[in-house]
Amino acid sequence: MTTASLITFDYLNEISGGDTEFQKEIIQTFLEEMTNEISRLQQATAEQDWSLVGSLAHKIKAPISMLCTDPLKIRVLFIEKSAKAGESLQILPEEIRLLIADLQMVMSELKAM
């Protein structure tokens, strides 16, 4: 996927009413949170701590919903549900890897703005 196809500002524009300072704050918070949560998600995946993976996916679901397109929203929701239910564990590490790669592309694009 291309980075441009992973970012959407529709919801952010809607909730900010066009306030660019507010938008910058939201983006900065997103970048800070994702940096930390990606690291935690990688560690939990390496340890196969699926309960923690589910909790982390739940935590990052809202920020992803604010700035990312549906494919990322769908992936994080799948990861959350699968990890919490202990299902699809054979494909979960690859789904997490893809989510992290996409989030890193999104973050790079946001930082370049």
Side-chain angles (χ1 to χ4, degrees):
M1 262 184 209
T2 63
T3 305
S5 69
L6 298 176
I7 300 172
T8 179
F9 294 107
D10 295 344
Y11 182 70
L12 183 58
N13 287 332
E14 183 181 319
I15 65 167
S16 71
D19 182 343
T20 56
E21 286 305 311
F22 178 70
Q23 291 174 356
K24 288 177 187 176
E25 287 176 33
I26 294 294
I27 291 169
Q28 186 59 39
T29 300
F30 177 88
L31 292 170
E32 291 167 6
E33 284 182 13
M34 286 304 121
T35 300
N36 185 44
E37 299 309 324
I38 284 172
S39 177
R40 293 181 67 205
L41 191 55
Q42 288 171 321
Q43 183 68 32
T45 303
E47 295 172 0
Q48 296 185 356
D49 185 344
W50 305 122
S51 176
L52 181 55
V53 166
S55 295
L56 292 169
H58 178 78
K59 183 177 180 182
I60 65 174
K61 188 170 52 176
I64 286 174
S65 293
M66 190 171 296
L67 288 172
C68 300
T69 58
D70 287 342
L72 264 68
K73 295 175 196 176
I74 291 166
R75 178 165 280 135
V76 77
L77 184 59
F78 172 80
I79 292 168
E80 177 190 13
K81 288 183 175 185
S82 297
K84 287 182 175 180
E87 298 173 350
S88 302
L89 299 182
Q90 70 280 9
I91 64 168
L92 212 46
E94 178 63 9
E95 289 295 317
I96 293 165
R97 187 194 68 74
L98 292 169
L99 174 69
I100 290 170
D102 286 346
L103 285 173
Q104 289 170 333
M105 286 192 304
V106 167
M107 292 168 61
S108 292
E109 181 73 19
L110 290 172
K111 287 176 185 177
M113 295 179 140

